[in-house]
Amino acid sequence: MRFLAGKKLLATALALAFAASTLGSAEAAMSRKPQDNLFYATSTEPLGLDPALVDDNDSGNVACNIYESLLRFKETTTEVEPCLAERWDISEDGLVYTFYLRQGVKFTDGTPFNAEAVKFNFDRQSPENMIPKMSYAPLVLGDIEKTEVVDEYTVRITLKKPSTPFLNNMAMCFAAPIASPTALKKYNNNLMEHPVGTGPYKLVAWDRGQQLILTTNEDYWGPKPKIQNVIIRIMKETSARVVAINNGEVDIINGIDSNVIDQLKAGGTSIFEAEGNNVNYMVYNCRDGYITADREVRKALAQAINVPELAQSLYKEYAAPAYSFFPTFMMGYDPNVKAVSYDPEAAKKTLAEKGIKELTILTYSNARYYNTVGGQVLAEAVQAYFDKVGVKAKIDVYDWTTFKSKLLTDKWDISFIGWVGDNGDPDNFINILASDDPIANQGLWLNPEFIKLIQDATHVPNGPERAALYQKAEAVLAEDVGVLPISHAKTLLAYRPNISGPFTHPIGLNFFHNVVKKVD
């Protein structure tokens, strides 16, 4: 135990030294007590920390501790509760939402939070002001007609039409969070490296490729975090994260898979495991001129892959084969709707008739929340299936940040991506495939029938009618082979036994303010 404690103290000292050298005031903000410093190791660095300009889980995982929205989810469910808004009213026609804001709240740069700040953030992402990187704005704020300041602490939002998921959208960590208007003006409408929110933590240092350091927002309006500082280490290799946590150098790690569970347990590390609200899927490039724009080719490539065998081989019992895009617990899931099933002979015949002999796979190297073995391993497994039906697949692999860019600029036929539900509503889960934004809908599969079903379902109250619309949309997706669902991963984290508290949420993010670390 003394050896482990020594490791932790050394790691803490290194982090503090870095913080002090990067930002002079950081040393004063950080505690030298081990129990005040939480070390979290992740496989992938955030793309940035502006909630309007990011769409990746890694960015959200940090940003959700810095920013807040009008509403928030309860600790263990996607039921909404007050946050920056203390209460709200909804008009009888479902079009006008009046939010009564919490008073006395300040952003970490000292700017007062008020109705003008809410309007500034929502107007920033309105259609006339939106820029391409704001990929979440149409999903979260797209139904807003106008945002009006009633008085300093009252804001009125009028919708174009009733929106069933609107309140859940107001609790999300993308697009909905409120950032300091002062900071947005100072940093030219971009807080990717300069986050300023009202949340329980604030960023004090970011050493690219190495770590980020968060410390307590001393002016936070709510209860102060139980742990003062969070040091987020960027450790790309799963093996390195496993060694680090077993040695006591870090407290929590993500991106673990079935291959390391026994090693973690043998090192005295605990495993958090829960059903995951996510999907890991294969994307077809449906742009004009690509072989995968042909539905028959998409179907044949799907028939070439034994999805249940693939999921079992790569993820063991820690992910379920995805027979449909929705997880089984999501409204809209229909057990009678199945993705294309394995039929290699049919695949070989169709692909030969179409003259398909080779294709390009674009993928990522890092482990992901929904794909714990990483994109390269998944691509190589699919490559082997394609080889059996006479198609040679070339694989291009990049780190996550580069991969996201290459999806928009490079030529590719097949890729892999995933989705983690942000708010528990089926619209949030499947709406991305109805988008004409290539950041959200990477393959640009655009089926008019599917798009209309998704749009209609957004405005129907929860109940059998709404569920039926999503079931029909799932059927259209399966029939047209828009994407190929592969797996639904369990939520997996590893943590030291002295760590307690709710550190992960069903939306796939880690909120650190209620985590407790005990040190003997």
Side-chain angles (χ1 to χ4, degrees):
M1 289 298 291
R2 287 183 180 178
F3 173 74
L4 296 184
K7 286 270 192 179
K8 291 182 180 181
L9 286 169
L10 175 61
T12 302
L14 290 173
L16 296 176
F18 163 70
S21 64
T22 306
L23 195 61
S25 61
E27 186 173 29
M30 305 292 279
S31 170
R32 302 274 175 180
K33 298 177 182 178
Q35 64 267 29
D36 289 341
N37 302 292
L38 180 75
F39 291 86
Y40 176 92
T42 180
S43 64
T44 312
E45 189 163 27
L47 294 178
L49 297 177
D50 187 325
L53 300 177
V54 295
D55 62 355
D56 63 302
N57 190 260
D58 304 288
S59 299
N61 202 39
V62 181
C64 71
N65 293 283
I66 296 173
Y67 297 96
E68 294 175 308
S69 307
L70 294 179
L71 308 180
R72 66 186 176 194
F73 298 116
K74 292 188 175 180
E75 264 186 8
T76 58
T77 73
T78 52
E79 183 181 350
V80 297
E81 65 180 12
C83 188
L84 290 177
E86 292 185 310
R87 59 189 178 88
W88 58 93
D89 295 331
I90 307 172
S91 63
E92 288 189 11
D93 61 6
L95 293 177
V96 180
Y97 288 71
T98 304
F99 292 94
Y100 303 93
L101 307 181
R102 195 175 297 277
Q103 300 184 24
V105 177
K106 289 185 178 181
F107 295 96
T108 53
D109 63 357
T111 301
F113 165 76
N114 52 30
E116 290 286 357
V118 177
K119 178 175 172 57
F120 188 96
N121 276 263
F122 288 2
D123 286 355
R124 173 196 180 204
Q125 300 174 79
S126 63
E128 61 270 21
N129 297 323
M130 191 171 63
I131 62 176
K133 286 188 176 181
M134 292 176 176
S135 58
Y136 258 86
L139 171 65
V140 178
L141 308 173
D143 286 327
I144 294 179
E145 177 70 36
K146 60 182 176 179
T147 303
E148 299 172 284
V149 173
V150 177
D151 58 40
E152 187 174 7
Y153 294 108
T154 309
V155 64
R156 181 165 56 230
I157 297 174
T158 302
L159 304 184
K160 301 169 187 174
K161 59 181 87 173
S163 173
T164 302
F166 182 69
L167 286 179
N168 282 57
N169 287 347
M170 290 297 96
M172 284 170 53
C173 76
F174 300 112
I178 310 301
S180 164
T182 302
L184 284 166
K185 293 171 186 175
K186 178 180 178 180
Y187 294 109
N188 195 27
N189 202 32
N190 185 320
L191 301 183
M192 293 291 267
E193 296 184 1
H194 307 282
V196 181
T198 61
Y201 287 100
K202 59 185 178 181
L203 179 73
V204 292
W206 186 352
D207 180 14
R208 285 281 180 178
Q210 298 298 318
Q211 63 185 359
L212 301 91
I213 299 178
L214 308 181
T215 194
T216 298
N217 173 9
E218 293 298 337
D219 295 322
Y220 185 54
W221 59 268
K224 298 296 187 294
K226 296 178 172 61
I227 289 181
Q228 182 176 330
N229 311 299
V230 180
I231 299 90
I232 300 168
R233 295 276 175 77
I234 313 303
M235 303 177 72
K236 294 182 179 180
E237 299 299 325
T238 301
S239 58
R241 295 193 302 279
V242 170
V243 169
I245 194 167
N246 278 351
N247 283 348
E249 296 167 10
V250 298
D251 302 302
I252 304 173
I253 66 172
N254 72 1
I256 61 174
D257 60 61
S258 60
N259 298 312
V260 299
I261 298 293
D262 289 344
Q263 182 183 351
L264 287 164
K265 290 181 177 178
T269 297
S270 301
I271 306 297
F272 174 85
E273 178 182 335
E275 290 302 315
N277 181 24
N278 62 75
V279 61
N280 172 34
Y281 59 99
M282 188 171 85
V283 180
Y284 303 98
N285 195 334
C286 294
R287 295 165 177 82
D288 289 343
Y290 284 85
I291 58 173
T292 40
D294 184 336
R295 177 196 173 274
E296 294 306 311
V297 173
R298 297 198 299 271
K299 180 179 178 181
L301 291 173
Q303 288 174 321
I305 303 170
N306 188 334
V307 170
E309 178 184 74
L310 176 67
Q312 169 61 26
S313 172
L314 295 183
Y315 311 115
K316 306 297 189 290
E317 70 270 28
Y318 298 104
Y323 296 105
S324 67
F325 196 79
F326 280 138
T328 57
F329 54 80
M330 181 72 68
M331 177 196 293
Y333 170 75
D334 184 347
N336 298 313
V337 174
K338 302 286 187 184
V340 175
S341 57
Y342 183 52
D343 190 343
E345 292 306 315
K348 183 182 293 187
K349 182 176 183 294
T350 300
L351 293 168
E353 290 173 351
K354 294 283 185 177
I356 310 300
K357 296 181 179 179
E358 57 185 23
L359 55 77
T360 299
I361 296 176
L362 179 65
T363 194
Y364 51 90
S365 56
N366 312 72
R368 302 296 298 162
Y369 186 89
Y370 44 77
N371 175 21
T372 54
V373 300
Q376 182 170 352
V377 174
L378 175 56
E380 289 170 351
V382 169
Q383 180 188 49
Y385 281 115
F386 288 164
D387 190 59
K388 291 178 183 179
V389 296
V391 175
K392 299 296 181 183
K394 178 174 74 78
I395 301 175
D396 293 332
V397 185
Y398 299 94
D399 65 86
W400 178 252
T401 303
T402 306
F403 164 74
K404 292 283 285 184
S405 175
K406 295 285 187 180
L407 279 168
L408 302 174
T409 61
D410 283 21
K411 293 182 178 181
W412 53 273
D413 302 296
I414 296 292
S415 189
F416 300 97
I417 201 76
W419 185 258
V420 182
D422 299 297
N423 65 14
D425 191 273
D427 173 68
N428 168 261
F429 204 92
I430 204 169
N431 186 297
I432 50 172
L433 299 180
S435 172
D436 60 4
D437 181 355
I439 296 177
N441 183 9
Q442 295 80 8
L444 287 181
W445 172 74
L446 297 170
N447 181 296
E449 183 182 4
F450 178 86
I451 292 170
K452 186 176 187 307
L453 286 165
I454 297 303
Q455 291 174 343
D456 290 348
T458 304
H459 312 296
V460 174
N462 282 328
E465 182 183 355
R466 189 171 190 234
L469 289 171
Y470 286 117
Q471 289 174 337
K472 190 170 181 181
E474 269 269 47
V476 172
L477 175 62
E479 176 62 26
D480 200 33
V481 201
V483 299
L484 179 66
I486 294 172
S487 58
H488 300 294
K490 287 187 176 181
T491 299
L492 290 175
L493 288 173
Y495 62 99
R496 296 301 300 173
N498 62 327
I499 301 298
S500 61
F503 48 78
T504 192
H505 191 273
I507 61 173
L509 300 178
N510 297 299
F511 295 87
F512 298 118
H513 61 282
N514 280 330
V515 176
V516 175
K517 179 178 180 180
K518 295 181 180 179
V519 176
D520 295 334

